[in-house]
Amino acid sequence: MARKVLILMGSDSDLKVMNEAAKALHALEVETEIRISSAHRVPDKTMKLARSARENGFGAIIAGAGLAAHLPGVVAACTTLPVIGVPIQGGAIQGIDALYAIVQMPKGIPVATVAVNGAFNAGLLAAQILATADDELATRLDSYRAQLASEVEAKDDKLQTIGVEAYLNN
Ligand code: RP5
């Protein structure tokens, strides 16, 4: 059976950003479960979700948090499933704190970190991880890449046809 992706976030204030991961995965027909579970406010729940993720059919975990963003690291400490961290923009220094907290993991416990608010890419990366063992998903990822390429080609064709000024005013 196809593996699912668990999407975790530290607060409901992260939900709008983190839902982008779900959108990317749903477009690729990957099933998700999306949960609020703070590493600081509900540590026991967070560790339970991470520890049971593999037996519950998940193949990857995406964890998003802002400020002193310990959620991805704590989750990664509790599972050997691949964990993708999403630093959430916000607070006094706009996500730089979360970026550094998530990306600077100690040796032995990796977290793959995407851009600040990069939840959509986190979804794509999770799909690519699952696609190492799922040829049909790999084919859907190829179609997505082809669609991206054709959008760029259409824009370049338009630019060549109407020129820079008309393109900018269009
Ligand atoms: C983090 O603190 C959450 O991930 C969120 O980004 C940030 C602020 O949380 P709230 O105070 O909005 O609940 O734990």
Side-chain angles (χ1 to χ4, degrees):
M1 207 175 97
R3 294 249 144 200
K4 305 175 288 181
V5 174
L6 179 59
I7 301 172
L8 299 176
M9 71 208 75
S11 169
D12 63 345
S13 61
D14 305 324
L15 183 57
K16 190 161 183 256
V17 169
M18 293 305 293
N19 193 40
E20 292 297 307
K23 285 186 196 168
L25 287 158
H26 295 164
L28 291 161
E29 299 172 38
V30 176
E31 203 180 321
T32 63
E33 185 174 321
I34 189 158
R35 306 288 298 263
I36 299 164
S37 192
S38 165
H40 301 125
R41 293 165 176 159
V42 284
D44 292 342
K45 173 186 171 182
T46 296
M47 288 189 278
K48 199 170 162 199
L49 282 167
R51 288 192 177 120
S52 61
R54 187 183 292 277
E55 73 202 39
N56 286 333
F58 296 102
I61 301 176
I62 299 171
L67 306 180
H70 295 116
L71 179 65
V74 167
V75 168
C78 294
T79 180
T80 54
L81 289 176
V83 176
I84 304 166
V86 183
I88 303 289
Q89 185 176 14
I93 54 175
Q94 290 303 310
I96 303 295
D97 40 8
L99 173 64
Y100 286 175
I102 295 173
V103 81
Q104 292 288 3
M105 285 296 292
K107 187 177 182 180
I109 309 292
V111 169
T113 309
V114 295
V116 174
N117 281 0
F120 194 85
N121 268 3
L124 293 178
L125 183 56
Q128 289 178 207
I129 290 166
L130 298 189
T132 58
D134 182 338
D135 290 343
E136 289 179 10
L137 178 54
T139 301
R140 293 197 287 281
L141 280 159
D142 285 340
S143 302
Y144 172 70
R145 290 286 179 98
Q147 181 200 324
L148 280 185
S150 72
E151 284 169 12
V152 173
E153 288 309 305
K155 287 175 186 173
D156 188 46
D157 287 347
K158 182 178 167 189
L159 179 63
Q160 300 316 307
T161 304
I162 68 176
V164 174
E165 289 307 319
Y167 194 101
L168 290 175
N169 292 322
N170 208 263

